[in-house]
């Protein structure tokens, strides 16, 4: 499955997790509602492809490092 950065213009979207509603969800499966941004990369996670901007990639890496450091004795 491909998950694209969402342009936030899906008026019928009722997801409470949507960033337009104060949540953290920034992705859509609908290519037509894809946010066109420079510097995005498709990141493979399992069988899915997640489109991420540089800010999202930094956040992902920081969370991975934080989780790894928290797991140390």
């Amino acid at each position: 499955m491909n998950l694209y950065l969402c342009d936030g213009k899906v008026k019928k979207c009722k997801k409470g997790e949507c960033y337009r509603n104060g949540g953290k969800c920034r992705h859509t499966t609908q290519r037509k509602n894809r946010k066109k941004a420079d510097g995005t990369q498709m990141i493979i996670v399992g069988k899915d492809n997640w489109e991420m901007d540089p800010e999202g990639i930094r956040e992902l890496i920081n969370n991975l490092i934080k989780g790894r450091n928290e797991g140390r004795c």
Side-chain angles (χ1 to χ4, degrees), residues 1 4-5 17 20 24 40 60 69:
M1 177 182 303
Y4 304 102
L5 284 173
E17 303 88 25
R20 290 188 314 146
K24 292 186 177 186
T40 62
L60 173 67
N69 289 340

Side-chain angles (χ1 to χ4, degrees), residues 16-34:
E17 303 88 25
C18 178
Y19 71 93
R20 290 188 314 146
N21 301 324
K24 292 186 177 186
C25 182
R26 297 174 20 157
H27 288 85
T28 180
T29 57
Q30 299 176 13
R31 186 172 175 84
K32 67 181 181 180
N33 292 106
R34 178 182 185 191

Side-chain angles (χ1 to χ4, degrees), residues 25-58:
C25 182
R26 297 174 20 157
H27 288 85
T28 180
T29 57
Q30 299 176 13
R31 186 172 175 84
K32 67 181 181 180
N33 292 106
R34 178 182 185 191
K35 176 181 175 183
K36 293 169 180 66
D38 292 332
T40 62
Q41 297 286 323
M42 293 301 279
I43 306 295
I44 300 169
V45 180
K47 293 183 179 182
D48 298 327
N49 297 307
W50 291 74
E51 183 176 40
M52 301 189 83
D53 58 12
E55 177 187 336
I57 294 169
R58 276 192 296 275

